[in-house]
Structures are given as structure tokens and as C-alpha cells.
Amino acid sequence: MLRQVFRFLGTPFRVIPWYIWLGAIAVAGWFGRNILLIMATIIAFHPIPVPPLFQGEPESVAEARLQDLQHFNHVRRNERSMTPQMRDRFDARIAELTDAVDTLTDAEFLLGLARAQAEIDNGHSNTSTTRMVADFPRLPVRFADMAGELRILRARAGQDAILGARVEAINGVPAGEVMARFRDTLGGNDAFAATLLPGLMDAPDFLAAVDVGEAQEAVTLDLVLTDGRAMRTSLRAEPADPDAPRAFPGDLPQPWVMAEGWQVARPQTTPLYLQNSERGYWLERIADGSIAYLSLRTNFDDESGESLRDFALRVEAELAANPPRAIIVDQRFSGGGDLTMTHDLMAALPDLTEGRVYHFVSGNTFSAAIVNLASTVEVAPERTLLVGEPIGDRLQFWAEGWAYTLPNSGFRARYSTGFYDLQNGCEGLFRCAWGSLHIFPILVEDLDLDVFAPLTFEAYAAGRDPALEAVLGMELSD
């Protein structure tokens, strides 16, 4: 009987040839390896916070905030960039919040959480300013920092006169001072913070939390209009709309961003960097075909149907077949993405031209976009020039990790787990992100600006591009 059972169970091994079995084992082993690698990477670099168990519905605002502070502890537990000094400052912030949970306004509590998280002093470990204000009344305008000036780039119907205006003061406090009062809510460098902080400055509750007016009162703006005239106006906040589309303030100089339902400050003409609004990446030849202009607004796939990897391969092949005299890579609106998609192309750029490679950069240039810069600079530092404004992070930063929402306040918490060092390299099994170990180390001395060419509002409104003008001036005069 047993013999018949074993013979039946062994039928597949007699019927199916050995080489098919060998191939099946190899395929299973390959998939198994990748599955194990993915699982190990998630466990090592993307620990997912588990909501507190057995936590009932809060019976008061104070209890709700205490529950959120308990869940917020995942940041302290999982953030790997924290030094002992950072932990002490983080703990002190949490202790202050805990003692004041029943006296703070909602905006003060959220800002307190943001300040605790900002003690990490890492750009990737910040909260989202646009999410933070989503549940609050906001003014019928949206601000953005342009070359150090606070400008109104979006306004509701009927506010056309102030569109594009420079904000001199808010409730009598100079605009620069208002932004400075929020600066301790974000870690990282000043260039990146300037792209985010204007998102807090149109919410009266948050202005009140830093002693700039009263939450329930109209907000007085001292403006300089686009025709040079000074104007003072008072605006009342619109009711909160948590489901309204959100946009980073740094993205607002792209006229198609958050355009529905808003008056948009548009340029007189459409310069090259604002063309192809439906694409996240594209290539064009300029200067009679002698210069290749590569726009990279993201390091993720766009909706064109051509993946970023395929696009990068196509660009490399096209430039190799017809080398330009110079190459421009515009990442002034790239917040990053998957750095592995573009690394090979960025590292190959110096070999695809005998001339210079220009990287257009700004405070929006962040994360994978910064690695793109370094990939080119490492290969040809003497022929790679950074043009525009200072980039949005340092050469040492932590990324990967996880973002999650606190259950009661809706605060977006964030922690980072993978280290990147573009000056010295990274060492440590559970310190350096595994997903890019085949690319790193990428080592550069610095990523400082070579040509300062800020995108001012005046240039934007006229449809000019100071960075492109500077490069064409250098290239066409040679």
C-alpha cells in the first residue's frame, strides 16, 4: 500500500524532465531571494508604526492630545538620525506639550509637535505644512517665497488686484519676521524651509499661535502691487475645507499647480522651463540644436506612458548619437523620488558632451534630485556647474523611513532610517539604505552654487528665465 502511495507521489518527478525541475527551482530561488530582500528592507528601513492598542475614544481634548503624544513616540523610537542631544531636546518638547495639553489651542499643539520633530534637524523628517493647516480656516490667497520675497501667487475671484503682490507685513509684522517665527517648526536647511513655511502664513490660527494677530479677526496685509503702488488690505479667512487640493508653496510658480478655483499669477509668455506641463520629464534641443535641455520635475514615473527608466535610456542613446556642445538639466521643481531611475544617465552626462553640464537648482531641489547632481559632479567636477539658487538639503541627510498620521489631531509624523553621505560615504549595515548600495558611494567635495541666478518674481512675470539666460550668455559668447 505504502509503495503505491509513494509511487503516486513520485509521478511528477518521473513525468517532468529534470531540466524543467532545475529551471523551476532556479526561478523559485530567484523570486524567493527578492521577496526575502524586500521583506528584510521593509523591516530594516521602513518600520511601520502600530497604532496604540486598546485605546478608547477620547473623552476630552486633553485626553485626545495625550493619545496622540503616545503614538508620536514612534518618531523617537524609529528615527535613526537622533543624537543623544537631539533626544534630550525632543523629550523636553514633549514634556512641555504634555504639561499644557489642556491649555493650548489646536494650532499651538500642532506647532508644538512640529517643533519636537524639527529637533531632529533633518529635511526628510519634517511634517507637512500643507496637511497641518488643512483643517483650519485660511485666507483667500496663497503665498510663496520667490528669491527671498513673499509673493501672492494664487487668489480667489475678486482679488485680482493683489495677485502677484509682494507682502511687506502681516498684521503689522514684517513678512520675513513672520516666517522666522515659524522657522523652528522645520528641520533641515533654510533653502528648503523657505519653500514650505509660506503654507503656514495664510492660516489665522497659526499666525495667532506665533503672536501675529488674533485667530478670529481679519488679517491685514501691507502689500506692494505689481505696478509699484503700496496697498493695505484686510482679508477674512474662508471656512476650513480639509478636502481642498493642496500644493507645496514652492510649486506655485508652476501656473498649472492648484489652478482650479483660483486666480493664478501667470507669466506674460511661457518660458522653456514652464512648457510641457503635462510631463514630469522631457528633452528638447535649443540654440539651433547645439544645447540639450533636459527637464526633470520628478524622479518618479509620470503619466505619459513612458517610464522614467525608459526615458533615461532614450535620452542617453539620443545624446550619444548626436552629442551636444552642452547639456542643461533643470531640477528646480524636483522634490526627488527613486534615485536609481536616473543615476546611470546622470553619471553618463559628462561623456555625452565635450562641453559643460549645467544643473539648474533651487530650494525645491531635494532628495533624489540632489543625488542626481552629485552623480554628475563626481564624474566631472570641473565641467559641471550648478546654476540658480541654493539646493534644499545638506550633503549628509537621512531618508527612507515612514510617515503616518496621528489619530486625533491629524498631524503627519515622519521618521527617517537610511543615511546618505555624499562627502564621506556611508558605513553600517543598518545605517546605509540597502536599496541603493549598488550605486553608492557617490563622493563630492560640495554642491555649492557656481552661478547665482534666482528666479525672481519680476523675471517670472515677464516670462524670463535668469538661469537659462546666464548659461546661454556663457555658451554663445565662447
Side-chain angles (χ1 to χ4, degrees):
M1 181 67 179
L2 287 176
R3 185 181 224 172
Q4 292 175 333
V5 171
F6 286 131
R7 182 174 178 80
F8 173 77
L9 294 176
T11 299
F13 299 97
R14 294 194 306 274
V15 174
I16 301 174
W18 64 270
Y19 51 85
I20 293 180
W21 278 110
L22 184 61
I25 292 172
V27 170
W30 187 88
F31 277 107
R33 179 206 65 177
N34 282 276
I35 291 172
L36 288 175
L37 179 60
I38 291 171
M39 292 176 61
T41 301
I42 291 174
I43 293 172
F45 292 99
H46 301 279
I48 301 174
V50 178
L53 301 177
F54 312 112
Q55 192 176 73
E57 287 293 321
E59 297 182 358
S60 65
V61 171
E63 184 180 354
R65 291 173 177 172
L66 290 173
Q67 289 179 355
D68 276 7
L69 289 171
Q70 179 185 355
H71 198 30
F72 191 55
N73 192 52
H74 284 290
V75 171
R76 189 188 192 281
R77 182 182 301 119
N78 293 314
E79 175 65 50
R80 293 185 190 163
S81 72
M82 273 193 178
T83 64
Q85 294 78 16
M86 288 178 184
R87 290 186 187 279
D88 288 343
R89 293 194 297 269
F90 182 92
D91 291 345
R93 293 280 193 185
I94 297 304
E96 290 177 6
L97 286 175
T98 301
D99 291 341
V101 289
D102 54 354
T103 61
L104 297 173
T105 66
D106 289 340
E108 288 171 339
F109 180 69
L110 292 175
L111 289 173
L113 291 171
R115 292 186 177 106
Q117 193 157 281
E119 295 293 354
I120 300 168
D121 196 23
N122 177 55
H124 284 78
S125 301
N126 285 321
T127 190
S128 167
T129 57
T130 56
R131 284 177 178 268
M132 196 153 50
V133 298
D135 292 332
F136 291 82
R138 302 178 70 183
L139 300 180
V141 293
R142 294 293 181 268
F143 303 130
D145 180 273
M146 296 194 72
E149 296 180 342
L150 190 67
R151 292 281 180 166
I152 297 175
L153 296 189
R154 302 290 185 276
R156 294 296 191 190
Q159 303 291 345
D160 305 55
I162 64 174
L163 199 59
R166 183 175 74 240
V167 182
E168 295 287 287
I170 302 176
N171 285 332
V173 181
E177 169 63 23
V178 177
M179 186 177 292
R181 294 186 188 184
F182 286 116
R183 180 62 184 89
D184 62 355
T185 64
L186 294 177
N189 71 6
D190 290 339
F192 188 55
T195 71
L196 301 175
L197 290 177
L200 299 175
M201 297 168 67
D202 60 41
D205 290 83
F206 285 80
L207 292 172
V210 293
D211 297 322
V212 181
E214 299 293 332
Q216 305 303 321
E217 300 296 327
V219 173
T220 299
L221 301 179
D222 289 316
L223 309 172
V224 175
L225 304 181
T226 55
D227 61 7
R229 290 183 297 120
M231 175 183 178
R232 173 172 290 180
T233 186
S234 292
L235 300 176
R236 288 202 169 272
E238 299 176 325
D241 184 2
D243 298 323
R246 296 188 294 266
F248 291 118
D251 285 335
L252 293 182
Q254 299 173 109
W256 59 88
V257 173
M258 208 179 76
E260 185 176 353
W262 292 91
Q263 302 286 341
V264 178
R266 298 183 183 275
Q268 294 177 8
T269 62
T270 304
L272 185 61
Y273 76 93
L274 291 180
Q275 295 178 15
N276 299 308
S277 61
E278 75 284 356
R279 292 298 308 267
Y281 35 84
W282 49 277
L283 174 69
E284 185 166 323
R285 293 274 187 156
I286 61 175
D288 296 325
S290 64
I291 298 176
Y293 176 90
L294 172 60
S295 175
L296 280 179
R297 296 182 180 128
T298 180
N299 250 65
F300 291 117
D301 291 341
D302 66 13
E303 298 180 357
S304 66
E306 181 181 30
S307 71
L308 181 53
R309 291 187 191 277
D310 290 343
F311 172 78
L313 291 171
R314 176 170 65 82
V315 168
E316 185 172 354
E318 289 183 10
L319 298 184
N322 184 14
R325 65 172 290 168
I327 299 173
I328 295 171
V329 183
D330 193 343
Q331 295 188 105
R332 284 174 291 184
F333 293 99
S334 176
D338 184 347
L339 61 90
T340 66
M341 292 184 173
T342 49
H343 170 263
D344 290 348
L345 173 61
M346 295 297 111
L349 290 178
D351 294 329
L352 300 174
T353 178
E354 294 183 356
R356 300 187 185 103
V357 178
Y358 300 93
H359 280 280
F360 289 1
V361 295
S362 73
N364 294 312
T365 308
F366 190 70
S367 195
I370 293 177
V371 177
N372 284 341
L373 311 177
S375 299
T376 307
V377 172
E378 180 186 42
V379 174
E382 71 288 346
R383 289 194 293 123
T384 305
L385 275 67
L386 272 59
V387 183
E389 301 170 83
I391 61 176
D393 210 348
R394 309 174 182 116
L395 298 188
Q396 293 81 26
F397 60 88
W398 291 75
E400 313 312 324
W402 200 264
Y404 66 103
T405 302
L406 301 188
N408 299 310
S409 65
F411 181 85
R412 190 70 166 170
R414 179 77 165 83
Y415 50 81
S416 302
T417 55
F419 185 55
Y420 295 82
D421 188 337
L422 301 178
Q423 277 184 317
N424 310 295
C426 178
E427 296 181 357
L429 180 60
F430 291 101
R431 179 179 173 87
C432 314
W434 296 351
S436 53
L437 287 179
H438 61 294
I439 291 175
F440 287 90
I442 298 173
L443 302 177
V444 298
E445 288 188 10
D446 65 69
L447 291 176
D448 297 338
L449 277 181
D450 297 291
V451 180
F452 182 59
L455 181 60
T456 63
F457 178 80
E458 288 78 11
Y460 167 81
R464 295 176 41 239
D465 184 350
L468 185 58
E469 291 170 2
V471 168
L472 292 179
M474 290 187 288
E475 285 296 320
L476 301 183
S477 64
D478 288 347

